[in-house]
Amino acid sequence: MRLAILVGVLVAAVFAAVLTTSAVTKVVIDQQQAAAGGVANTSCDAAIGPTQPGQPGQGTGQASRLDDEQRGTVSLIISIGKQRSLAPRAWQVAIQAGMTESGLHNVDHGDRDSLGIFQMRPSMNWGSAAQVTDPNYAINKFFDVLLGVPDWQNLRPGDAAQSVERSGFPDRYHRWEAMAATLVENLGQVTDAAGCGQGLGAALPPSQAAAQAIKFAMGEQGKPYVWGATGPNTYDCSGLMLRAYESAGVVLPRVSRDQYKAGAMLPVHEAQPGDLVFLATDPADPATIHHVAMYLGDGKIVEAQQTGVPVHVRPFSFDEAEVVPQAVRPGV
């Protein structure tokens, strides 16, 4: 018991130090990824900007409120994940699942016969009651089932957690995405847990349709610009937006001036990932719109810009001289 208390105190101290000091050095352990079969930390396509979901600082704030048992559970998840040479994305999925199911506590009760960190049910062949309430067994069992999920590493972490847990409330696992990424990066000493560099935005897309449209547009990078083209091999600016949202089941008009009227309008500074932003010869007159692009968040857009320039991502400022003051959210 004394040893357990001491370990809990040490874990809490290390956790607090990691989160509060700016001098922490984060490292990516290449050997872990190689041992995991070349699986990247996470997939950028799976979760748009997953290191920065929600409001800035949200993940750190949530992580700082965890108690000793919760922090110990996170440390054990990461430790077992490392021992098994699993990519950091697997650790994140387990943290999100455990936080959703039990608040990362090893509980002795739950819905029907659900028990433990992941609310595993002995009656559903997860193991005996004694096994599923043994944190080491439960975490290893969770990883075993996760690794059997087809293409799990290319799912959004919350969706991967749902594929293991099969909850009646599948969206709830996303709530802890920011916190889990923070824990993986800090306690796990992993730089850029999302594998997306700077990420694609400080907020999640406002809808699944927007996320799908972003995924499509990003996948078309490198294809040539041709005026009037709507894919699949070449695009102009509005043609790319047309096909991107078509892939998400949202029908847009063909040209940029009409796309400006094809959804909810909002101040351009309030644009979220997936929203359309427009440039005009005279920003005060939407009739002069000559270009449309898709906002990705974090000061970036994806666009088919002009002849000789393929579909690409570039920095974007809301204060550019030709930016129309309104952005458009398609399908709303």
Side-chain angles (χ1 to χ4, degrees), residues 216-218 220-231 233-244 254 256 259 276-277 279 290-296 301-314:
F216 180 95
M218 295 293 284
E220 302 305 282
Q221 288 184 84
K223 293 187 175 181
Y225 175 97
V226 173
W227 185 83
T230 60
N233 299 315
T234 58
Y235 295 94
D236 67 5
C237 65
S238 56
L240 179 63
M241 301 303 107
L242 174 74
R243 297 308 180 202
R254 168 64 188 92
S256 57
Q259 289 177 355
L276 304 183
V277 291
L279 278 73
H290 62 84
H291 185 62
V292 60
M294 183 181 295
Y295 186 58
L296 298 174
I301 56 175
V302 59
E303 64 180 358
Q305 187 178 26
Q306 62 189 47
T307 301
V309 180
V311 176
H312 65 284
V313 173
R314 72 168 176 88

Side-chain angles (χ1 to χ4, degrees), residues 85-155:
S85 297
L86 299 179
R89 185 177 187 83
W91 319 345
Q92 179 173 345
V93 173
I95 292 168
Q96 288 180 224
M99 188 65 184
T100 302
E101 294 294 333
S102 69
L104 292 168
H105 291 290
N106 187 28
V107 296
D108 61 0
H109 59 274
D111 179 50
R112 287 169 283 190
D113 60 335
S114 300
L115 298 168
I117 298 167
F118 301 105
Q119 290 290 277
M120 294 172 172
R121 297 181 60 192
S123 65
M124 299 300 290
N125 299 317
W126 284 95
S128 68
Q131 287 176 319
V132 300
T133 52
D134 175 351
N136 283 279
Y137 174 92
I139 293 168
N140 275 290
K141 185 68 173 179
F142 183 91
F143 283 144
D144 289 343
V145 177
L146 174 64
L147 294 177
V149 174
D151 203 34
W152 68 269
Q153 64 270 32
N154 289 316
L155 299 176

